[in-house]
Amino acid sequence: MHFQLSEEQLAVQQAARDFAQTELLPGVIERDTHQKFPAEQIRKMGELGFMGMMVDPKYNGGGMDTISYVLAMEEISKIDASASVCMSVNNSLVCWGLEKYGSEEQKEKYLKRLATGEVVGAFCLSEPEAGSDATSQRTTAEDKGDYYLLNGTKNWITNGNSASVYIVIAQTDPEKKHKGINALIVEKGMPGFVVGKKEDKMGIRGSDTHSLMFTDVKVPKANRIGADGFGFSFAMTTLNGGRIGIAAQALGIAAGAYELAVKYAKERKAFGKHLSEHQAIQFKLADMATQIDAARLLIHKAAFFKDQGRDFVQAAAMAKLFASQVAQDVTTEAVQIHGGYGYVKEYHVERLMRDAKITQIYEGTTEIQKMVISRELLK
Ligand code: CAA
């Protein structure tokens, strides 16, 4: 075992850090305030290879490992978690799932454009009455021979309006329960597909979260991913990898807040000395740094297992469970260290504290991660 990143991994980390500082930082407060999607920045991230990092170069991807991906996710998330959730969904849920389970035709038609960021993808599983309880899909995909007739509503969909390609999970045969579910590729503009209202969120306000409505949308059979009835398994397997990305996002939010807290503690004086010279602050920083390092180790372990082709379900769930709690704790302490300044937008930590919460909710809540981990432990 060694703890040394390769030259290539270090270069990816540096490139993501530079991009975040120069391109994402300048407008991040404004985008958060006005709920503005970072369209231009995402386009540039695509040009730099951040939107299809792990995809095989023959499909226009970066051909990188999962460690490189989590390093980039951490750096982007330190500055702008709204941009990083778009990146995470496109990389882990859309590109990865399509590359692993899609047909050659689907890869040519969709993956090649998704991997460059020319178009953005969305992953549509959650519904008004099926969030954690994902097997209870109400959206239906009726088999009509050459096509599926898609009807239903999806909720809280990341990249809901900015995406062009949507992977939609829907029930074809209710009698078969989760074994009768399919995953279909739906394109924006297909008749009957309407993007619904944009959510006004507590955090990751620059990200584009919408409900989606499908009314008699004809989806060609060629757009089904995998065999008939494979859709739920597809969703679960894809989410296992997605959780590593979201864990890295949580880590980045925590690390970003920690770095700001250290900087502030070295600059700000109280009672005649810098905050960093007070033991009360030193101990907070020591706890924060330890939590961050532990989260990073869990995440890198999960990414390493995935790259090795080993079972990473438990490792990914543990990484997300732990890192999302670290994001809560560290951002709250970062605001506390900043005092009154921490409560205003200019100092960034209040945004990071708001952004942190969602990492305990999406791609499986904290409670779902505990369910996944305990099932793995006991099976
Ligand atoms: N990996 C692979 N397969 C899994 C799995 C996993 N982690 N968890 C369950 N499965 C499989 C099971 O093996 C089973 O398949 P078989 O019958 O073929 O063996 C099938 O899925 C059903 O599993 P259960 O019988 O355990 O079903 P359940 O209803 O008791 O539990 C659940 C299922 C694990 C709770 C699942 O519903 C779940 O993961 N819920 C959370 C959903 C989620 O993460 N949503 C996130 C939305 S996407 C998002 O947030 C993206 C974004 O925008 C950022």
Side-chain angles (χ1 to χ4, degrees):
M1 180 183 279
H2 58 91
F3 287 89
Q4 187 59 48
L5 296 174
S6 70
E7 290 291 317
E8 196 183 56
Q9 289 162 343
L10 287 167
V12 170
Q13 185 182 47
Q14 190 60 49
R17 191 174 290 159
D18 292 345
F19 179 82
Q21 285 295 330
T22 56
E23 301 283 346
L24 292 172
L25 184 59
V28 68
I29 294 175
E30 200 207 332
R31 290 195 298 275
D32 172 74
T33 304
H34 300 294
Q35 300 192 79
K36 193 163 171 263
F37 180 72
E40 184 58 19
Q41 290 78 2
I42 294 293
R43 190 188 59 73
K44 288 185 183 165
M45 282 164 67
E47 282 171 9
L48 288 170
F50 289 128
M51 297 303 281
M53 294 183 70
M54 296 167 288
V55 175
D56 190 317
K58 77 176 176 188
Y59 301 116
N60 298 337
M64 289 179 234
D65 59 9
T66 313
I67 299 279
S68 300
Y69 168 55
V70 297
L71 291 171
M73 274 297 297
E74 180 183 341
E75 294 305 321
I76 301 287
S77 306
K78 280 181 185 173
I79 305 297
D80 189 346
S82 295
S84 76
V85 69
C86 174
M87 171 179 164
S88 180
V89 166
N90 203 67
N91 274 280
S92 322
L93 299 185
V94 179
C95 287
W96 187 84
L98 263 179
E99 183 167 18
K100 184 143 175 82
Y101 299 112
S103 66
E104 207 47 44
E105 188 193 338
Q106 290 166 355
K107 291 180 199 178
E108 284 294 324
K109 191 170 174 189
Y110 300 110
L111 181 60
K112 279 187 161 177
R113 289 189 297 143
L114 286 160
T116 58
E118 180 192 329
V119 295
V120 168
F123 181 84
C124 315
L125 173 68
S126 301
E127 299 187 350
E129 290 174 71
S132 289
D133 184 9
T135 52
S136 300
Q137 294 288 305
R138 299 268 172 92
T139 298
T140 54
E142 215 182 316
D143 190 337
K144 293 284 187 185
D146 290 350
Y147 63 90
Y148 288 101
L149 199 61
L150 187 64
N151 280 288
T153 301
K154 294 289 175 182
N155 257 24
W156 312 292
I157 303 303
T158 303
N159 304 336
N161 192 34
S162 49
S164 302
V165 177
Y166 299 76
I167 297 180
V168 181
I169 310 298
Q171 185 79 54
T172 295
D173 187 345
E175 278 185 13
K176 291 187 182 159
K177 300 194 170 147
H178 67 271
K179 291 185 196 297
I181 289 175
N182 280 309
L184 306 177
I185 304 170
V186 176
E187 291 179 39
K188 191 184 242 164
M190 280 183 171
F193 172 24
V194 173
V195 175
K197 81 170 165 74
K198 180 171 174 151
E199 300 295 350
D200 186 359
K201 308 191 296 292
M202 169 187 178
I204 54 161
R205 288 172 58 79
S207 76
D208 183 29
T209 313
H210 287 257
S211 53
L212 307 175
M213 276 80 79
F214 305 94
T215 310
D216 289 340
V217 181
K218 286 184 179 175
V219 185
K221 273 266 169 80
N223 282 23
R224 187 185 71 212
I225 301 174
D228 186 27
F230 177 64
F232 193 74
S233 191
F234 169 85
M236 290 297 107
T237 313
T238 307
L239 276 168
N240 289 329
R243 287 165 186 163
I244 302 177
I246 297 303
Q249 179 190 44
L251 169 65
I253 293 170
Y258 166 78
E259 286 175 13
L260 290 169
V262 169
K263 183 168 175 285
Y264 184 80
K266 285 180 173 172
E267 288 166 4
R268 172 81 171 172
K269 283 190 171 170
F271 305 103
K273 53 185 178 178
H274 286 109
L275 292 187
S276 57
E277 294 170 79
H278 290 278
Q279 197 178 54
I281 302 297
Q282 291 169 350
F283 280 14
K284 280 189 195 298
L285 293 174
D287 283 340
M288 291 156 82
T290 306
Q291 284 177 291
I292 288 168
D293 218 29
R296 193 177 285 120
L297 288 171
L298 279 176
I299 293 165
H300 287 199
K301 177 182 166 185
F304 177 77
F305 275 22
K306 180 166 169 283
D307 286 336
Q308 295 263 309
R310 289 162 69 170
D311 184 340
F312 62 91
V313 175
Q314 182 182 315
M318 282 182 168
K320 182 178 182 290
L321 171 69
F322 190 79
S324 59
Q325 185 61 50
V326 168
Q328 300 302 298
D329 297 345
V330 169
T331 54
T332 304
E333 286 294 58
V335 169
Q336 192 69 19
I337 289 170
H338 279 76
Y341 289 108
Y343 206 66
V344 297
K345 294 197 174 207
E346 193 186 336
Y347 282 75
H348 295 282
V349 283
E350 67 82 32
R351 185 187 71 258
L352 291 165
M353 185 177 161
R354 285 186 286 106
D355 287 350
K357 185 61 203 171
I358 191 62
T359 65
Q360 290 192 311
I361 298 173
Y362 57 23
E363 300 208 18
T365 60
T366 288
E367 294 71 20
I368 290 290
Q369 304 313 319
K370 290 184 184 177
M371 203 172 177
V372 172
I373 295 164
S374 54
R375 283 179 183 184
E376 289 294 310
L377 293 174
L378 299 169
K379 80 181 180 189

